[in-house]
Amino acid sequence: MTNEHNLSRRRFLGASGLAGAGFMLGVRPSVAQPASTEQPAGKKFTIGIIGCGNRSKALISALNHVPELEIAALCDIVPHKTHQRAQLIKTGDKPEHLTQLDDLLRIDGLDAIGVVTPNDTHKDIVIASLEAGKHVFCEKPLALTVADCNEIIGVADRTRKALQIGHQRRHSGEYRALIEAIRSRPIGKILQSSLYDFRGDWRVPEADEYPEDTPYWRLSQQRSGGVVYEMGAHIIDVNNWVFDSEPLSVVSLQGVNNFSLRRRDSADHAGVLVYYASGALMNYGGNLYNYGSVALDTFFGVNGTVQMGSGRLSIRYGSAPGFPKPSDLPQPEEISLTAGNREGDGVVEQFRHFAKVLDGKEKPSPDAFVSRQTVQIMEASVRSARERRVIDVRELG
């Protein structure tokens, strides 16, 4: 565990007032501990999915490959959506169909809740589920603010229930290969990253399957957090994984830039610069009006550079001009990542891991504390863009 992480936890405990709720300085909070060690090996667990929008399709398809987890219930405020999603379930008994969270939480014997609802609803649903004695898998982001993350962490610690967040790249073979390359190759200390998320606009309203007059939550800044929360959360989490350091300050410009898109007040583009305790800088850029270009994610070290994109890792080595070139400079490497894909394998593997968490064999990964670090950057970026200043992460609590 790095010194930066120890410091981060001390600041967190002091700022949030949770030091007396079972936390220990320098140790990951107990929310990250396995749910139980008394479950017999191979036991099946039941999960109820709340939120049957477009994202639920990928999660239900992934759960079909995890026999340890059975979908026992589907819940959505639009009744016909639960029936549509039930058609995707290939294993187990037919699920119950519900429209209210309270009814979902009252199901006897339900082990866990999968939260796949709009971003602004995560906090209340996660807390209610934990309070009801359920373990929770929550899609990213954990919440929209650091303060809300702190509250969730406190409830998870008090209830002693497992909470895992859906940053699926932590379980992707491709991104694990990226981490392995950076950790094992002699590229030296990571000094900077250059990361890009460019895609087209969010799907057309008809694909949402909601009534025609239902507001689309991703077009609302207050509900979604804009492009950094909805898209950047994934690669920002990967960057935190790579840097293994505490974000200290954030500056950002973002807003609505392309007025040919559907009317919104949620940011459709962003540029974010983050300074970490290690001295490294993250430079992130994203927008929703990409029409086919491909960008590489790049990590710059003292002795080498690692690039990821288009199914490959590229590793190059060098030395600063004016200094003798090392005689043992490694040869460049090209590593194929075609065995998996950026997201698909990670979606399945995160649920395989969650099943092991419920069986007491693993800790949640990532847990709420790790996910909170990504929220620190995202909330700070939005505040920086709004207030036109550098944000000290400690301001957020």
Side-chain angles (χ1 to χ4, degrees), residues 230-293:
E230 264 302 278
M231 187 167 64
H234 290 297
I235 195 62
I236 292 172
D237 175 65
V238 170
N239 190 84
N240 291 340
W241 190 12
V242 170
F243 279 15
D244 193 25
S245 181
E246 178 187 357
L248 297 183
S249 54
V250 180
V251 64
S252 176
L253 292 173
Q254 53 189 275
V256 180
N257 196 33
N258 188 342
F259 292 95
S260 70
L261 304 178
R262 282 173 290 145
R263 185 176 179 181
R264 72 191 68 214
D265 69 359
S266 62
D268 66 2
H269 75 292
V272 182
L273 186 64
V274 183
Y275 178 72
Y276 287 75
S278 67
L281 292 173
M282 181 193 80
N283 186 11
Y284 168 80
N287 71 52
L288 297 177
Y289 38 86
N290 174 38
Y291 306 115
S293 65

Side-chain angles (χ1 to χ4, degrees), residues 322-337:
F323 291 85
K325 190 174 182 179
S327 59
D328 58 349
L329 196 67
Q331 293 298 310
E333 291 186 68
E334 293 288 336
I335 302 172
S336 174
L337 301 174

Side-chain angles (χ1 to χ4, degrees), residues 1-63:
M1 185 179 295
T2 64
N3 290 333
E4 290 89 352
H5 281 170
N6 286 332
L7 287 171
S8 178
R9 291 185 173 89
R10 290 189 183 101
R11 292 193 184 110
F12 168 65
L13 297 175
S16 63
L18 293 173
F23 288 83
M24 296 177 62
L25 294 179
V27 179
R28 185 180 299 282
S30 58
V31 61
Q33 299 303 312
S36 170
T37 58
E38 300 178 358
Q39 302 287 2
K43 180 179 178 180
K44 288 192 175 183
F45 301 91
T46 54
I47 186 171
I49 303 294
I50 180 166
C52 293
N54 192 66
R55 179 59 181 165
S56 69
K57 297 177 185 177
L59 301 191
I60 291 171
S61 296
L63 284 165

Side-chain angles (χ1 to χ4, degrees), residues 24-345:
M24 296 177 62
L25 294 179
V27 179
R28 185 180 299 282
S30 58
V31 61
Q33 299 303 312
S36 170
T37 58
E38 300 178 358
Q39 302 287 2
K43 180 179 178 180
K44 288 192 175 183
F45 301 91
T46 54
I47 186 171
I49 303 294
I50 180 166
C52 293
N54 192 66
R55 179 59 181 165
S56 69
K57 297 177 185 177
L59 301 191
I60 291 171
S61 296
L63 284 165
N64 286 329
H65 298 281
V66 186
E68 297 86 356
L69 292 175
E70 179 179 336
I71 301 175
L74 296 169
C75 182
D76 196 281
I77 59 174
V78 181
H80 76 267
K81 293 175 70 62
T82 64
H83 293 276
Q84 289 177 332
R85 297 298 173 261
Q87 296 175 15
L88 301 176
I89 300 174
K90 305 301 183 184
T91 61
D93 297 329
K94 293 183 179 180
E96 294 190 44
H97 298 266
L98 306 166
T99 59
Q100 300 296 322
L101 174 63
D102 289 345
D103 294 333
L104 179 64
L105 297 180
R106 280 195 289 265
I107 295 178
D108 289 336
L110 191 65
D111 296 299
I113 301 295
V115 181
V116 201
T117 55
N119 296 348
D120 63 322
T121 67
H122 288 184
K123 173 197 166 185
D124 290 342
I125 294 174
V126 169
I127 288 178
S129 300
L130 294 170
E131 296 278 13
K134 312 300 183 184
H135 305 294
V136 177
F137 171 89
C138 180
E139 262 298 310
K140 64 81 192 167
L142 174 59
L144 290 175
T145 68
V146 174
D148 285 351
C149 289
N150 293 345
E151 186 175 349
I152 291 170
I153 290 172
V155 174
D157 183 69
R158 174 169 52 78
T159 60
R160 311 294 292 181
K161 294 300 173 181
L163 173 57
Q164 181 173 312
I165 316 305
H167 291 285
Q168 68 265 13
R169 294 186 186 183
R170 296 264 176 166
H171 300 273
S172 162
E174 287 200 359
Y175 286 95
R176 287 181 177 271
L178 169 69
I179 296 297
E180 192 277 334
I182 290 175
R183 300 282 191 262
S184 64
R185 272 44 167 205
I187 62 173
K189 178 183 176 180
I190 298 295
L191 303 175
Q192 190 167 3
S193 61
S194 182
L195 313 172
Y196 298 95
D197 268 325
F198 302 140
R199 57 161 287 168
D201 196 14
W202 307 121
R203 61 193 182 280
V204 295
E206 290 77 12
D208 298 331
E209 302 156 354
Y210 283 108
E212 188 174 341
D213 59 345
T214 303
Y216 186 23
W217 64 274
R218 279 194 173 96
L219 303 183
S220 166
Q221 181 70 22
Q222 183 175 1
R223 300 201 65 194
S224 71
V227 68
V228 174
Y229 278 85
E230 264 302 278
M231 187 167 64
H234 290 297
I235 195 62
I236 292 172
D237 175 65
V238 170
N239 190 84
N240 291 340
W241 190 12
V242 170
F243 279 15
D244 193 25
S245 181
E246 178 187 357
L248 297 183
S249 54
V250 180
V251 64
S252 176
L253 292 173
Q254 53 189 275
V256 180
N257 196 33
N258 188 342
F259 292 95
S260 70
L261 304 178
R262 282 173 290 145
R263 185 176 179 181
R264 72 191 68 214
D265 69 359
S266 62
D268 66 2
H269 75 292
V272 182
L273 186 64
V274 183
Y275 178 72
Y276 287 75
S278 67
L281 292 173
M282 181 193 80
N283 186 11
Y284 168 80
N287 71 52
L288 297 177
Y289 38 86
N290 174 38
Y291 306 115
S293 65
V294 176
L296 300 178
D297 294 325
T298 307
F299 297 90
F300 302 91
V302 173
N303 304 315
T305 299
V306 178
Q307 288 190 302
M308 181 177 184
S310 300
R312 300 190 69 80
L313 277 179
S314 298
I315 307 175
R316 300 289 184 271
Y317 302 93
S319 57
F323 291 85
K325 190 174 182 179
S327 59
D328 58 349
L329 196 67
Q331 293 298 310
E333 291 186 68
E334 293 288 336
I335 302 172
S336 174
L337 301 174
T338 55
N341 62 70
R342 286 178 72 104
E343 306 296 343
D345 64 336

